[in-house]
Amino acid sequence: MFGKIATAAAAAAAALFMAVPSANAATYAGVGSDTTQDVMRALTEEYATTVNPTNTWVSIDAGSTTQTIPGCTISNPAPNGSSAGINALLADSTGCIDYARSSRPLKTGTEQSTLTAVRLGGDSVSVAALPQAAGGHAPANISLADIQKIYKCEITNWNGVAGGTSSDPIVRYLPQAGSGTRDFFITSVLGFDPTDLNTGNCTTQPTLVQENRGDAVATADRDSAILPYSKAAWTAQANSGDTGVPDHRAGFVLLNINGTAPGGTGFVGNRDVYNVYKTAGADPTLVAFLNWAAAQNDFKALYGFTA
């Protein structure tokens, strides 16, 4: 059932974006997080089909150069990541952007005073690497202390990690600027910004790639690479046959941290993800949709999110 719904959602997305609303209809559009874009695409299609077909419901993929909001002009490429989506929502004065997908909490200051966050579900951020059975050098479990040392360049080879192999240099990757996954990984997992060369022994910054894309890692780096990865995004890609989400994993697997699997009780990378909207003058129709989306636990589970 869900496979058919998800496939229909993906197939109908282009037509949905170009739909022309009726005279009495409104368009509700969201931008932002890469991590939640796939589940929100499916949820908007389901909502438009079964709950509220009167209005047009749009969820623009992070960084899209082809999707549009009917009757509106937005940046090209579209906002790419949670912070980019939130900033676009805050800056929008035309009513074209109604909500932002965010894989991080609202920040103190303007965000918290201006926006309301609706929790969509639970996720986890771990690090991913190519497993040893596939020619990689990482162990299945790694300590948080060793992850921090890797991103400080205090450990530079996989054989410096318990269970790791090879003296080849570890290649550090990090999501693109504006990514909520990047923000969460830096603030809640690492506890420092690895792009700041005053931290640790690094002389170069990590290589930046689109978040949650193992296939964005250079082929020559894959056996030695490490990169943050959302458990939900990894799961949605693993369930590609049902979700219709392209499988970008390229053989990368999520590592346990301190002996705990991503999503497990006490896992250091557990987090919540959200949809956020402007508090002042909030449209009840929009709020109803975001609350409905948060309650669709079977949909969310297929895409890797917990209730």
Side-chain angles (χ1 to χ4, degrees):
M1 171 182 167
F2 292 110
K4 292 180 180 178
I5 292 173
T7 301
L16 176 61
F17 294 132
M18 298 306 294
V20 178
S22 68
N24 296 321
T27 295
Y28 295 91
V31 298
S33 171
D34 174 291
T35 300
T36 62
Q37 71 179 23
D38 297 312
V39 68
M40 286 305 297
R41 185 192 309 119
L43 286 168
T44 54
E45 173 63 13
E46 177 70 3
Y47 197 70
T49 301
T50 65
V51 181
N52 186 329
T54 300
N55 298 306
T56 298
W57 302 91
V58 181
S59 183
I60 302 291
D61 286 354
S64 174
T65 59
T66 59
Q67 296 170 336
T68 61
I69 299 172
C72 291
T73 300
I74 60 171
S75 63
N76 190 352
N80 186 3
S82 302
S83 294
I86 288 172
N87 290 337
L89 174 64
L90 289 170
D92 177 54
S93 60
T94 63
C96 283
I97 297 174
D98 298 281
Y99 67 96
R101 305 183 303 266
S102 181
S103 59
R104 63 162 176 82
L106 294 175
K107 296 181 178 180
T108 56
T110 300
E111 289 185 8
Q112 287 189 356
S113 65
T114 308
L115 303 175
T116 296
V118 178
R119 181 184 179 276
L120 177 64
D123 184 22
S124 300
V125 176
S126 186
V127 288
L130 201 66
Q132 293 175 11
H137 307 307
N141 177 73
I142 189 170
S143 71
L144 176 59
D146 281 351
I147 295 172
Q148 293 167 334
K149 288 177 182 178
I150 287 171
Y151 277 91
K152 286 182 177 179
C153 300
E154 294 172 356
I155 294 177
T156 56
N157 310 92
W158 277 116
N159 60 7
V161 175
T165 63
S166 178
S167 59
D168 291 345
I170 299 172
V171 186
R172 299 164 301 130
Y173 278 79
L174 197 68
Q176 82 284 355
S179 159
T181 296
R182 166 181 165 148
D183 186 271
F184 179 84
F185 181 70
I186 287 173
T187 58
S188 298
V189 179
L190 288 183
F192 62 90
D193 185 350
T195 67
D196 181 356
L197 298 185
N198 293 316
T199 301
N201 300 331
C202 298
T203 58
T204 60
Q205 295 182 344
T207 300
L208 303 185
V209 292
Q210 180 65 31
E211 63 186 299
N212 305 317
R213 300 289 194 274
D215 54 10
V217 173
T219 302
D221 292 344
R222 290 181 185 174
D223 59 348
S224 295
I226 187 171
L227 70 158
Y229 217 112
S230 155
K231 178 179 181 289
W234 192 95
T235 302
Q237 293 169 22
N239 291 338
S240 181
D242 291 319
T243 62
V245 177
D247 188 352
H248 295 291
R249 295 173 300 159
F252 281 81
V253 298
L254 304 179
L255 304 188
N256 295 350
I257 300 178
N258 290 343
T260 303
T265 301
F267 183 74
V268 66
N270 287 346
R271 64 170 175 178
D272 291 329
V273 297
Y274 308 89
N275 289 304
V276 306
Y277 62 90
K278 291 180 179 177
T279 306
D283 187 330
T285 301
L286 171 66
V287 175
F289 163 64
L290 298 180
N291 287 330
W292 174 89
Q296 305 310 301
N297 292 336
D298 289 340
F299 257 109
K300 293 188 299 183
L302 185 65
Y303 288 80
F305 297 96
T306 62

